[in-house]
């Protein structure tokens, strides 16, 4: 298999040296020819790699889930501006992220869309601004950007991370971007203040993409990890692709040096200290796109996993002393099982097979595979992309953002993925590939075995879009998880989930006391009628986006929770017993369930 790939790659590359672009480099173009060899060999390879147990179940025929785009009806008018010109600035292809944030703490998830800005080559008629929409609780949203003060005019935004960094009970916004980032402090009265300079987290001069919050030293205060991308500027923008009308393309990451990951330690006083070098996280060159922050080796301390673009993925294991060990290569996460560094973009983690360990999923460009890495429990991962049933079922799609979610509430985490080619003229180079692509859903059949279910989820779900940021949320507070997608150069999508009403669920909002207020890093173990599920409150996830912080458990036909055990970062353990299903609960560290509003949205 590897030899066939190398032969096809070499032969194709020799005839395509002139075509360079993100997704259009000789490496990328070679994939077109190699793809046929991969498809031909897929059958035998699946047999040889099927280490997973056979599917534990078939889909419940009584549950027919559909996703409906309610963006227009909800009153969301945000329009992402790609800032595209014929100069093909590399920056243009990235798109922007989206984040869910209950900024006013009324129990309803509000929505933040990240926007771009003018460039040397692009001057919009009106200033561009990011947008915050308040959830009105009746199926509609209201643009409150101006009142809140989070428009970020003039800031070429990229992604967003949400967390309560000062433990005051109100979540804050960190917006990454080209050249600098912005930290907005939530004032608790519907407004935000730009505290970037005081906090010391501007990431000045860098191209920051994704960011995530976690408490790496378990001192009760959230620290910040920022992934940076390439050392690119308009002055270094190259001509890539053929020199023919309409054929100019965006360059490959290989044309530019990578930047480095930053980690900022929370000083408990509204300021942060850059400990990137001291921690070891900032040592290797990076081309970071997405990250997920969680405990991957079961030692009770949060680690860092980063999806890099055409570069080894990173796994930094926490040493419990403020430093991290780079375990990327020895863990098996750095590359595919055949040793290739692919175009890593979106990333998330979940226990897909019920063994209590978080597995990792990473998206890639077309003619590559989206990879599922099984957590072996010993600090290593095994690429089970084929054995899990995912295989090459999405080879012609460019995977960007991704999230684990239990969309049908059957108790197993599924995979949703936003797709879209990086280049608007990609069809000129690949006849089988289109610029706009449908969303993708892999349904978990049990024990970590998946089947593609996209076509069963409705026409809105499979409508082609240039998908970029994706974030999941129960924005109706009905236990059915939907999501928002920020689309490049287009209106976003707001996908409402309907049809899982016959399956039961539980959602948990964590309120830390000794631990950080958001409870990030907590491990939740739920037992219901003999079935046990484990999840973690994770930092980061997806691609430049922030999802609903509440932990969601699908229960299938089970109607009661025997026990819910929460192990907080502080080491405190809270155990709740005999909980009824179909509710959202707020759990305060050391106290238990406390009152909190979670109003149910009436669907129109």
């Amino acid at each position: 298999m590897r030899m066939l790939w190398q032969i096809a790659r070499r032969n194709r590359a020799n005839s395509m040296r002139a075509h360079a672009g993100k997704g259009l480099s000789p490496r990328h173009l070679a994939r077109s020819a190699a793809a046929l060899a991969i498809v031909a060999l897929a059958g035998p390879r699946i047999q040889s790699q099927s280490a997973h147990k056979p599917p534990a179940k078939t889909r419940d025929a009584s549950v027919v889930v559909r996703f409906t785009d309610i963006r227009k009806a909800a009153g969301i008018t945000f329009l992402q501006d790609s800032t595209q010109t014929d100069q093909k600035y590399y920056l243009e292809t990235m798109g922007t992220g989206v984040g869910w944030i209950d900024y006013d703490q009324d129990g309803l998830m509000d929505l933040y869309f990240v926007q771009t800005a003018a460039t040397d080559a692009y001057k919009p008629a009106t200033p561009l601004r990011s947008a915050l929409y308040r959830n009105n609780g009746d199926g509609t949203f209201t643009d409150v950007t101006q009142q809140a003060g989070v428009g970020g005019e003039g800031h070429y935004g990229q992604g967003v991370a949400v967390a309560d960094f000062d433990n005051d009970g109100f979540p804050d916004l960190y917006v990454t971007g080209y050249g600098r980032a912005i930290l907005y402090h939530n004032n608790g009265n519907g407004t935000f203040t730009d505290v970037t300079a005081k906090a010391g987290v501007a990431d000045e001069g860098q191209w920051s993409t994704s960011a995530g919050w976690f408490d790496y030293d378990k001192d009760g205060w959230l620290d910040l990890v920022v992934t940076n991308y390439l050392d690119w500027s308009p002055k270094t923008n190259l001509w890539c692709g053929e020199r023919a009308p309409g054929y100019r393309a965006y360059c490959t990451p290989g044309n530019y040096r990578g930047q480095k990951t930053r980690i900022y330690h929370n000083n408990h006083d509204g300021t942060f200290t850059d400990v990137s070098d001291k921690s070891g996280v900032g040592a290797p060159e990076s081309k970071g796109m997405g990250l997920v922050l969680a405990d991957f080796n079961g030692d009770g301390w949060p680690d860092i996993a980063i999806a890099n673009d055409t570069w080894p993925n990173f796994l930094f294991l926490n040493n419990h002393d403020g430093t991290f060990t780079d375990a990327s290569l020895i863990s098996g996460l750095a590359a595919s099982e055949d040793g290739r560094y692919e175009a890593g973009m979106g990333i998330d983690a979940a226990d897909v097979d019920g063994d209590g360990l978080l597995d990792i999923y990473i998206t890639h460009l077309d003619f590559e595979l989206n990879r599922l890495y099984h957590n072996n429990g010993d600090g290593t991962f095994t690429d089970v992309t084929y054995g899990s049933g995912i295989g090459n079922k999405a080879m012609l799609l460019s995977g960007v953002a991704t999230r684990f979610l239990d969309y049908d509430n059957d108790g197993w985490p599924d995979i949703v993925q936003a797709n879209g080619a990086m280049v608007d003229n990609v069809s000129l180079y690949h006849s089988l590939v289109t610029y706009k692509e449908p969303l993708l859903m892999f349904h978990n059949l049990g024990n970590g075995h998946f089947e593609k279910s996209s076509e069963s989820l409705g026409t809105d779900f499979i409508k082609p879009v240039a998908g970029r940021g994706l974030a999941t949320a129960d924005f109706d507070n009905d236990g059915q998880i939907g999501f928002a997608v920020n689309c490049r150069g287009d209106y976003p999508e707001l996908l409402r989930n309907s049809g899982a009403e016959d399956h039961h669920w539980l959602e948990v909002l964590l309120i830390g006391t000794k631990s950080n207020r958001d409870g990030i890093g907590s491990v939740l173990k739920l037992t219901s009628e003999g079935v046990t599920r484990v999840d973690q409150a994770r930092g980061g996830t997806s691609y430049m986006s922030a999802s609903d912080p509440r932990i969601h458990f699908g229960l299938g036909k089970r109607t009661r929770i025997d026990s819910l055990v929460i192990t907080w970062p502080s080491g405190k353990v809270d155990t709740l017993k005999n909980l009824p299903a179909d509710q959202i609960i707020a759990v305060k560290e050391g106290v238990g369930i406390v009152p909190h509003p979670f109003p149910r949205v009436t669907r129109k």
Side-chain angles (χ1 to χ4, degrees):
M1 174 62 201
R2 185 178 300 177
M3 183 175 295
L4 287 176
W5 173 275
Q6 292 171 338
I7 292 173
R9 178 176 178 174
R10 183 170 58 250
N11 291 343
R12 181 68 170 165
N14 288 338
S15 64
M16 292 290 184
R17 292 294 179 186
H19 302 322
K22 184 180 174 78
L24 298 174
S25 62
R27 176 188 63 81
H28 192 151
L29 289 164
R31 292 193 291 246
S32 300
L36 296 177
I38 292 176
V39 172
L41 294 177
R45 186 171 180 174
I46 291 173
Q47 294 175 3
S48 67
Q49 290 193 5
S50 293
H52 275 215
K53 300 176 183 178
K57 63 179 179 64
T58 57
R59 189 179 305 170
D60 187 342
S62 68
V63 176
V64 180
V65 173
R66 295 288 187 273
F67 285 93
T68 304
D69 185 0
I70 65 166
R71 193 268 308 171
K72 286 184 179 179
I76 293 174
T77 59
F78 175 82
L79 178 63
Q80 203 272 350
D81 195 319
S82 66
T83 70
Q84 182 167 328
T85 72
D86 58 8
Q87 295 301 305
K88 294 288 184 180
Y89 278 6
Y90 199 129
L91 186 64
E92 300 163 2
T93 191
M94 302 288 285
T96 49
V98 57
W100 292 98
I101 174 174
D102 183 5
Y103 81 99
D104 53 2
Q105 289 295 283
D106 63 353
L108 294 163
M109 297 308 301
D110 311 302
L111 194 50
Y112 186 77
F113 294 100
V114 182
Q115 184 61 286
T116 56
T119 70
D120 291 350
Y122 180 78
K123 306 299 180 185
T126 58
L128 301 178
R129 297 181 179 89
S130 297
L132 176 63
Y133 285 86
R134 183 181 185 273
N135 189 334
N136 299 322
D138 61 0
T140 67
F141 290 74
T142 298
D143 187 335
V144 295
T145 309
Q146 185 172 352
Q147 304 95 295
V150 291
E153 183 179 326
H155 175 237
Y156 201 110
Q158 291 285 259
V160 57
V162 176
D164 181 2
F165 76 84
D166 59 351
N167 292 332
D168 67 354
F170 289 91
D172 310 297
L173 283 167
Y174 185 75
V175 185
T176 62
Y178 178 74
R180 63 186 178 93
I182 300 174
L183 178 60
Y184 291 110
H185 175 258
N186 190 332
N187 299 321
N189 60 1
T191 70
F192 291 75
T193 299
D194 182 343
V195 296
T196 314
K198 175 188 175 183
V201 292
D203 203 38
E204 199 75 37
Q206 304 299 299
W207 182 354
S208 53
T209 53
S210 292
W213 297 92
F214 73 154
D215 183 4
Y216 76 89
D217 55 357
K218 299 207 293 187
D219 64 355
W221 297 78
L222 289 173
D223 312 300
L224 178 65
V225 181
V226 181
T227 61
N228 291 303
Y229 192 38
L230 300 177
D231 187 11
W232 172 92
S233 74
K235 293 181 180 179
T236 61
N237 197 56
L238 303 174
W239 183 296
C240 291
E242 294 184 17
R243 288 187 176 272
Y247 275 79
R248 185 172 183 176
Y250 297 100
C251 295
T252 173
N255 291 105
Y256 302 96
R257 289 188 59 85
Q259 296 184 332
K260 296 189 176 183
T261 306
R262 293 270 178 92
I263 181 168
Y264 297 94
H265 177 261
N266 192 327
N267 298 325
H268 313 173
D269 59 1
T271 69
F272 292 76
T273 299
D274 185 342
V275 295
S276 308
D277 294 336
K278 179 181 178 181
S279 67
V281 171
E285 182 181 347
S286 175
K287 298 182 180 182
M289 287 292 215
L291 80 166
V292 59
L293 309 171
D295 178 9
F296 292 110
N297 59 358
D299 64 356
W301 292 74
D303 309 305
I304 303 170
I306 295 175
N308 283 311
D309 191 359
T310 67
W311 203 254
N313 301 316
F314 291 158
L315 178 64
F316 295 104
L317 296 179
N318 196 323
N319 295 328
H320 315 172
D321 60 0
T323 68
F324 291 79
T325 294
D326 186 348
S328 307
L329 293 174
I330 62 173
S331 71
L333 192 68
S336 65
E337 66 168 348
D338 47 358
R340 290 183 295 119
Y341 302 141
E342 297 173 309
M345 298 189 72
I347 185 171
D348 199 4
D351 177 11
V352 303
D353 52 3
D355 65 358
L357 301 169
L358 293 190
D359 311 296
I360 294 177
Y361 183 77
I362 301 177
T363 65
H364 299 103
L365 292 183
D366 50 56
F367 299 105
E368 293 179 339
L369 302 182
N370 301 299
R371 298 285 174 179
L372 179 63
Y373 295 92
H374 176 261
N375 191 332
N376 299 319
D378 60 359
T380 68
F381 290 79
T382 299
D383 184 343
V384 295
T385 302
Y386 276 97
S388 66
I390 291 173
N392 57 7
K393 294 177 181 176
M395 179 171 285
L396 297 181
L397 301 178
S398 288
V400 185
T402 188
R403 277 284 290 172
F404 283 106
L405 79 170
D406 186 355
Y407 76 89
D408 58 351
N409 284 337
D410 67 351
W412 293 95
D414 312 301
I415 300 169
V416 65
Q417 179 175 309
N419 306 291
M422 294 294 106
V423 191
D424 59 330
N425 59 356
V426 65
S427 60
L428 297 176
Y429 291 88
H430 297 302
S431 61
L432 298 178
V433 177
T434 59
Y435 169 54
K436 294 186 176 182
E437 300 172 343
L439 299 170
L440 176 67
M441 185 74 80
F442 283 117
H443 182 256
N444 192 334
L445 295 174
N447 293 329
H449 195 91
F450 294 83
E451 69 172 5
K452 185 180 176 184
S453 61
S454 308
E455 288 73 18
S456 71
L457 301 177
T459 56
D460 285 352
F461 187 88
I462 57 175
K463 181 182 72 174
V465 296
R468 292 300 186 260
L470 179 150
T472 57
D474 180 7
F475 55 84
D476 286 339
N477 284 343
D478 63 356
Q480 299 181 90
I481 304 299
F483 53 91
V485 182
N486 208 345
C487 302
R488 180 181 184 262
D490 206 344
Y491 293 100
E493 292 190 310
L494 180 58
L495 278 294
R496 170 182 278 168
N497 181 334
S498 300
E501 294 90 346
D502 290 341
H503 279 170
H504 301 286
W505 52 277
L506 179 75
E507 287 177 25
V508 184
L509 174 69
L510 299 173
I511 303 174
T513 53
K514 185 177 180 182
S515 302
N516 66 85
R517 172 82 182 198
D518 292 338
I520 294 175
S522 298
V523 178
L524 291 79
K525 181 178 180 181
L526 179 145
T527 302
S528 174
E529 299 179 19
V531 176
T532 298
R533 293 288 178 264
V534 176
D535 203 354
Q536 293 184 30
R538 308 182 297 281
T541 78
S542 192
Y543 168 80
M544 305 200 304
S545 298
S547 293
D548 188 338
R550 297 172 296 188
I551 309 300
H552 173 268
F553 291 96
L555 299 172
K557 297 297 185 180
R558 299 180 295 277
T559 61
R560 195 163 191 84
I561 294 91
D562 300 321
S563 68
L564 175 65
V565 179
I566 303 173
T567 303
W568 300 83
S570 68
K572 174 67 179 177
V573 178
D574 286 323
T575 302
L576 309 176
K577 295 186 176 181
N578 298 320
L579 300 174
D582 304 328
Q583 62 171 328
I584 307 174
I585 59 174
V587 181
K588 190 172 185 177
E589 182 180 9
V591 177
I593 298 176
V594 295
H596 195 287
F598 298 109
R600 181 71 64 93
V601 173
T602 302
R603 297 192 175 200
K604 296 183 178 180

